[in-house]
Amino acid sequence: MKLIRHGDVGRELPGVILADGTRVDVGDVFPDFGEDFFEMVGMDELMEWVNDGCEGGREILPGTRIAAPVARPSKIVCVGKNYLDHAKELGEGIPTEPVLFMKATTCWCGPFDEVIRPPGAEKLDYEVELAVVIGKTMKHVEESEALSYVAGYSVFCDYSERGYQKDRGGQWMKGKSYDRFGPMGPWMVPASDVPDPQNLRLWCKVNGEFRQNGYTGDMMFSVAHILSYISQFMTLIPGDVVATGTPSGVAMGMSPPRYLQPGDYVEQGIEGIGEMRQRVVQG
Ligand code: ZN
């Protein structure tokens, strides 16, 4: 079973994909997949309902837009420079503690929505990342316990406008937050189906050409470490999303940089999780 959401922007409904590929709308039975769902219902109850035959569910019509698998979260917390080869290509030093930043939640969008290059921007870049969806409130959680707070995993692209990120002063937030800079999907895989989040291949292609080819085992700070670490500085609530960093191969790290252009197709995938794809359009 995987979690999906479907429908037009702003009117999305929750759903599941069954083992045989059938897509079932669960909007008449469960709240949308957000804070209330994970807090009041949770993955166990959803799985039980699926195993009992999806009573009250309706089949999702083909051609329906697929949205991000969880509702817009309260926070999108990102880890910068978490893969050594990527930290090296950025050339800004190697972190000794996790580097944290946030993306504005208004960047939240679906896995196949068009990504918008902001007006006047010329340095649009991609970053494939393993995304973690929080299932239970986390505050001062030990690393050894951290993974038990995870509801599931998904594919995330941390789109970045490097001109805003690096050339306009201040923190990274300006370069990370434009509308559509945060597609996630195409579904959320329950944590119980991902035995080891540090044993996953992840990749990104532009117009069919591999640009990033990484392995989550190469993270400098593990998923468990990151979650525990973040929970010392802020409370993570159910439905929050943590993006765990990107491997090398981003456009900015190439010589010369090969930033995204309108019309480009960008695809991201994580082995055992899923694949998504966006077309770049000019804003
Ligand atoms: Zn990133």
Side-chain angles (χ1 to χ4, degrees):
M1 181 200 74
K2 303 179 184 86
L3 275 63
I4 56 169
R5 288 167 67 255
H6 64 102
D8 294 338
V9 174
R11 308 175 73 170
E12 291 96 342
L13 292 166
V16 292
I17 302 183
L18 308 181
D20 67 359
T22 309
R23 306 188 306 174
V24 180
D25 174 274
V26 307
D28 291 340
V29 186
F30 295 106
D32 196 9
F33 297 147
E35 184 179 358
D36 285 352
F37 169 81
F38 292 109
E39 180 93 52
M40 317 293 281
V41 183
M43 296 299 291
D44 290 348
E45 199 174 319
L46 179 66
M47 283 186 210
E48 209 174 292
W49 177 83
V50 166
N51 290 335
D52 287 348
C54 301
E55 196 183 333
R58 293 177 289 115
E59 196 158 342
I60 296 170
L61 298 174
T64 310
R65 170 180 171 266
I66 297 301
V70 300
R72 188 169 63 206
S74 91
K75 294 188 280 303
I76 306 169
V77 186
C78 302
V79 184
K81 301 193 277 191
N82 196 27
Y83 290 77
L84 184 60
D85 51 359
H86 176 60
K88 284 181 178 166
E89 76 180 346
L90 289 185
E92 298 170 337
I94 311 299
T96 52
E97 286 194 44
V99 173
L100 302 183
F101 65 92
M102 288 205 203
K103 291 171 83 80
T105 56
T106 40
C107 77
W108 198 239
C109 68
F112 306 108
D113 292 344
E114 290 173 331
V115 57
I116 300 168
R117 188 170 80 160
E122 292 176 344
K123 296 180 176 177
L124 180 61
D125 208 342
Y126 47 83
E127 296 188 350
V128 61
E129 310 203 4
L130 174 68
V132 180
V133 178
I134 302 300
K136 292 187 288 184
T137 299
M138 295 188 75
K139 187 173 183 178
H140 295 293
V141 172
E142 294 293 328
E143 185 174 333
S144 58
E145 299 293 318
L147 291 186
S148 68
Y149 289 76
V150 176
Y153 298 93
S154 191
V155 184
F156 186 74
C157 189
D158 174 18
Y159 278 108
S160 308
E161 168 49 46
R162 303 301 188 190
Y164 297 173
Q165 180 186 345
K166 301 185 69 116
D167 307 337
R168 302 289 292 270
Q171 301 168 319
W172 293 3
M173 192 173 185
K174 279 180 266 185
K176 298 285 191 173
S177 293
Y178 202 73
D179 290 359
R180 310 273 186 93
F181 271 19
M184 190 172 93
W187 43 61
M188 188 194 90
V189 176
S192 53
D193 289 344
V194 182
D196 183 2
Q198 309 304 149
N199 187 23
L200 302 167
R201 299 237 147 246
L202 72 172
W203 52 264
C204 180
K205 289 184 203 172
V206 178
N207 300 326
E209 173 198 349
F210 275 107
R211 294 283 187 92
Q212 295 186 277
N213 227 328
Y215 177 59
T216 58
D218 291 333
M219 287 182 191
M220 288 191 281
F221 304 105
S222 69
V223 173
H225 183 88
I226 290 164
L227 297 180
S228 168
Y229 184 86
I230 296 170
S231 82
Q232 315 304 315
F233 297 95
M234 67 191 84
T235 301
L236 290 167
I237 64 174
D240 277 353
V241 169
V242 174
T244 55
T246 199
S248 63
V250 299
M252 184 175 60
M254 304 174 95
S255 175
R258 292 169 67 191
Y259 294 113
L260 296 170
Q261 305 297 322
D264 284 350
Y265 280 97
V266 191
E267 297 166 89
Q268 308 88 14
I270 303 180
E271 178 188 54
I273 308 270
E275 297 177 14
M276 58 181 195
R277 164 185 164 117
Q278 307 86 34
R279 189 169 72 98
V280 180
V281 298
Q282 181 63 54

mmCIF file of all heavy atoms in Angstrom, residues 78-81 86 101 103 127-129 156 158 160 162 172 176 243-246, ligand 1:
data_model
loop_
_atom_site.group_PDB
_atom_site.id
_atom_site.type_symbol
_atom_site.label_atom_id
_atom_site.label_comp_id
_atom_site.label_asym_id
_atom_site.label_seq_id
_atom_site.Cartn_x
_atom_site.Cartn_y
_atom_site.Cartn_z
ATOM 1 N N CYS A 78 15.076 21.290 5.628
ATOM 2 C CA CYS A 78 16.030 20.698 4.695
ATOM 3 C C CYS A 78 17.419 20.649 5.320
ATOM 4 O O CYS A 78 17.780 21.489 6.144
ATOM 5 C CB CYS A 78 16.118 21.526 3.418
ATOM 6 S SG CYS A 78 14.546 21.712 2.572
ATOM 7 N N VAL A 79 18.182 19.660 4.875
ATOM 8 C CA VAL A 79 19.561 19.524 5.313
ATOM 9 C C VAL A 79 20.457 19.884 4.136
ATOM 10 O O VAL A 79 20.321 19.313 3.054
ATOM 11 C CB VAL A 79 19.855 18.089 5.790
ATOM 12 C CG1 VAL A 79 21.272 17.987 6.328
ATOM 13 C CG2 VAL A 79 18.843 17.664 6.848
ATOM 14 N N GLY A 80 21.339 20.844 4.341
ATOM 15 C CA GLY A 80 22.269 21.253 3.289
ATOM 16 C C GLY A 80 23.570 20.477 3.392
ATOM 17 O O GLY A 80 23.995 20.091 4.489
ATOM 18 N N LYS A 81 24.196 20.217 2.252
ATOM 19 C CA LYS A 81 25.540 19.629 2.211
ATOM 20 C C LYS A 81 25.648 18.340 3.022
ATOM 21 O O LYS A 81 26.574 18.159 3.804
ATOM 22 C CB LYS A 81 26.565 20.661 2.726
ATOM 23 C CG LYS A 81 26.554 21.945 1.905
ATOM 24 C CD LYS A 81 27.742 22.827 2.188
ATOM 25 C CE LYS A 81 27.565 23.685 3.414
ATOM 26 N NZ LYS A 81 28.594 24.724 3.537
ATOM 27 N N HIS A 86 28.751 16.279 -2.739
ATOM 28 C CA HIS A 86 27.995 17.503 -3.043
ATOM 29 C C HIS A 86 28.590 18.686 -2.273
ATOM 30 O O HIS A 86 28.714 19.789 -2.831
ATOM 31 C CB HIS A 86 26.519 17.321 -2.694
ATOM 32 C CG HIS A 86 25.688 18.553 -2.885
ATOM 33 N ND1 HIS A 86 25.554 19.170 -4.121
ATOM 34 C CD2 HIS A 86 24.960 19.296 -2.018
ATOM 35 C CE1 HIS A 86 24.766 20.236 -3.987
ATOM 36 N NE2 HIS A 86 24.396 20.340 -2.726
ATOM 37 N N PHE A 101 18.074 24.393 6.885
ATOM 38 C CA PHE A 101 17.378 25.572 6.375
ATOM 39 C C PHE A 101 15.945 25.159 6.070
ATOM 40 O O PHE A 101 15.603 23.979 6.132
ATOM 41 C CB PHE A 101 18.070 26.139 5.126
ATOM 42 C CG PHE A 101 18.062 25.230 3.929
ATOM 43 C CD1 PHE A 101 17.052 25.302 2.981
ATOM 44 C CD2 PHE A 101 19.079 24.291 3.731
ATOM 45 C CE1 PHE A 101 17.038 24.457 1.877
ATOM 46 C CE2 PHE A 101 19.072 23.445 2.628
ATOM 47 C CZ PHE A 101 18.054 23.535 1.699
ATOM 48 N N LYS A 103 12.364 25.697 3.496
ATOM 49 C CA LYS A 103 11.720 26.218 2.293
ATOM 50 C C LYS A 103 10.350 26.736 2.715
ATOM 51 O O LYS A 103 9.683 26.125 3.554
ATOM 52 C CB LYS A 103 11.526 25.091 1.267
ATOM 53 C CG LYS A 103 12.810 24.578 0.665
ATOM 54 C CD LYS A 103 12.572 23.327 -0.172
ATOM 55 C CE LYS A 103 12.099 23.593 -1.588
ATOM 56 N NZ LYS A 103 13.166 23.972 -2.513
ATOM 57 N N GLU A 127 17.686 19.294 -7.186
ATOM 58 C CA GLU A 127 18.345 18.499 -6.138
ATOM 59 C C GLU A 127 17.413 17.358 -5.757
ATOM 60 O O GLU A 127 16.420 17.589 -5.066
ATOM 61 C CB GLU A 127 18.626 19.353 -4.876
ATOM 62 C CG GLU A 127 19.594 20.505 -5.081
ATOM 63 C CD GLU A 127 19.981 21.191 -3.758
ATOM 64 O OE1 GLU A 127 19.351 20.892 -2.718
ATOM 65 O OE2 GLU A 127 20.910 22.011 -3.783
ATOM 66 N N VAL A 128 17.696 16.132 -6.184
ATOM 67 C CA VAL A 128 16.867 15.007 -5.762
ATOM 68 C C VAL A 128 17.206 14.665 -4.309
ATOM 69 O O VAL A 128 18.370 14.683 -3.917
ATOM 70 C CB VAL A 128 17.066 13.775 -6.681
ATOM 71 C CG1 VAL A 128 18.501 13.263 -6.676
ATOM 72 C CG2 VAL A 128 16.104 12.653 -6.284
ATOM 73 N N GLU A 129 16.170 14.382 -3.513
ATOM 74 C CA GLU A 129 16.398 14.100 -2.092
ATOM 75 C C GLU A 129 15.403 13.045 -1.592
ATOM 76 O O GLU A 129 14.257 13.003 -2.030
ATOM 77 C CB GLU A 129 16.227 15.380 -1.258
ATOM 78 C CG GLU A 129 17.026 16.540 -1.844
ATOM 79 C CD GLU A 129 17.367 17.639 -0.853
ATOM 80 O OE1 GLU A 129 17.060 17.500 0.335
ATOM 81 O OE2 GLU A 129 17.964 18.638 -1.329
ATOM 82 N N PHE A 156 11.665 13.767 -3.231
ATOM 83 C CA PHE A 156 11.494 15.220 -3.170
ATOM 84 C C PHE A 156 12.516 15.863 -4.095
ATOM 85 O O PHE A 156 13.623 15.364 -4.255
ATOM 86 C CB PHE A 156 11.730 15.700 -1.731
ATOM 87 C CG PHE A 156 11.451 17.169 -1.507
ATOM 88 C CD1 PHE A 156 10.147 17.642 -1.449
ATOM 89 C CD2 PHE A 156 12.491 18.078 -1.348
ATOM 90 C CE1 PHE A 156 9.883 18.999 -1.235
ATOM 91 C CE2 PHE A 156 12.234 19.433 -1.128
ATOM 92 C CZ PHE A 156 10.932 19.890 -1.074
ATOM 93 N N ASP A 158 14.362 19.462 -4.319
ATOM 94 C CA ASP A 158 14.615 20.757 -3.689
ATOM 95 C C ASP A 158 15.085 21.723 -4.777
ATOM 96 O O ASP A 158 16.276 21.990 -4.921
ATOM 97 C CB ASP A 158 15.678 20.564 -2.591
ATOM 98 C CG ASP A 158 16.129 21.871 -1.965
ATOM 99 O OD1 ASP A 158 15.423 22.881 -2.108
ATOM 100 O OD2 ASP A 158 17.215 21.862 -1.327
ATOM 101 N N SER A 160 16.054 24.993 -6.665
ATOM 102 C CA SER A 160 16.812 26.110 -6.094
ATOM 103 C C SER A 160 17.162 27.105 -7.192
ATOM 104 O O SER A 160 17.621 26.701 -8.271
ATOM 105 C CB SER A 160 18.133 25.582 -5.496
ATOM 106 O OG SER A 160 17.902 24.496 -4.607
ATOM 107 N N ARG A 162 19.853 29.536 -7.872
ATOM 108 C CA ARG A 162 21.157 29.817 -7.253
ATOM 109 C C ARG A 162 21.481 31.305 -7.236
ATOM 110 O O ARG A 162 22.223 31.761 -6.364
ATOM 111 C CB ARG A 162 22.264 29.057 -7.999
ATOM 112 C CG ARG A 162 22.081 27.560 -8.077
ATOM 113 C CD ARG A 162 22.003 26.873 -6.746
ATOM 114 N NE ARG A 162 22.021 25.411 -6.906
ATOM 115 C CZ ARG A 162 21.765 24.556 -5.924
ATOM 116 N NH1 ARG A 162 21.470 24.999 -4.705
ATOM 117 N NH2 ARG A 162 21.791 23.250 -6.156
ATOM 118 N N TRP A 172 19.788 31.081 2.695
ATOM 119 C CA TRP A 172 19.428 30.353 1.480
ATOM 120 C C TRP A 172 17.954 30.459 1.128
ATOM 121 O O TRP A 172 17.535 30.110 0.028
ATOM 122 C CB TRP A 172 19.755 28.861 1.660
ATOM 123 C CG TRP A 172 21.207 28.572 1.757
ATOM 124 C CD1 TRP A 172 22.239 29.475 1.752
ATOM 125 C CD2 TRP A 172 21.804 27.275 1.871
ATOM 126 N NE1 TRP A 172 23.431 28.813 1.860
ATOM 127 C CE2 TRP A 172 23.192 27.470 1.936
ATOM 128 C CE3 TRP A 172 21.288 25.977 1.913
ATOM 129 C CZ2 TRP A 172 24.084 26.403 2.052
ATOM 130 C CZ3 TRP A 172 22.166 24.930 2.035
ATOM 131 C CH2 TRP A 172 23.553 25.137 2.096
ATOM 132 N N LYS A 176 15.223 29.112 -2.298
ATOM 133 C CA LYS A 176 14.641 27.777 -2.123
ATOM 134 C C LYS A 176 13.116 27.776 -2.080
ATOM 135 O O LYS A 176 12.520 26.723 -1.896
ATOM 136 C CB LYS A 176 15.158 27.191 -0.789
ATOM 137 C CG LYS A 176 16.668 26.998 -0.728
ATOM 138 C CD LYS A 176 17.099 25.803 -1.538
ATOM 139 C CE LYS A 176 18.553 25.434 -1.283
ATOM 140 N NZ LYS A 176 18.900 24.168 -1.951
ATOM 141 N N ALA A 243 13.677 17.061 4.245
ATOM 142 C CA ALA A 243 14.428 16.690 3.037
ATOM 143 C C ALA A 243 15.888 16.504 3.450
ATOM 144 O O ALA A 243 16.475 17.376 4.091
ATOM 145 C CB ALA A 243 14.296 17.771 1.971
ATOM 146 N N THR A 244 16.445 15.347 3.115
ATOM 147 C CA THR A 244 17.671 14.892 3.772
ATOM 148 C C THR A 244 18.962 15.212 3.023
ATOM 149 O O THR A 244 20.015 14.681 3.356
ATOM 150 C CB THR A 244 17.575 13.370 4.002
ATOM 151 O OG1 THR A 244 17.313 12.728 2.740
ATOM 152 C CG2 THR A 244 16.452 13.032 4.973
ATOM 153 N N GLY A 245 18.886 16.083 2.009
ATOM 154 C CA GLY A 245 20.100 16.480 1.300
ATOM 155 C C GLY A 245 20.249 15.776 -0.034
ATOM 156 O O GLY A 245 19.579 14.777 -0.307
ATOM 157 N N THR A 246 21.122 16.338 -0.868
ATOM 158 C CA THR A 246 21.242 15.838 -2.238
ATOM 159 C C THR A 246 22.675 15.400 -2.540
ATOM 160 O O THR A 246 23.629 15.980 -2.015
ATOM 161 C CB THR A 246 20.793 16.929 -3.242
ATOM 162 O OG1 THR A 246 20.488 16.331 -4.510
ATOM 163 C CG2 THR A 246 21.864 17.999 -3.460
HETATM 164 ZN ZN ZN B 1 18.609 20.402 -0.876
#
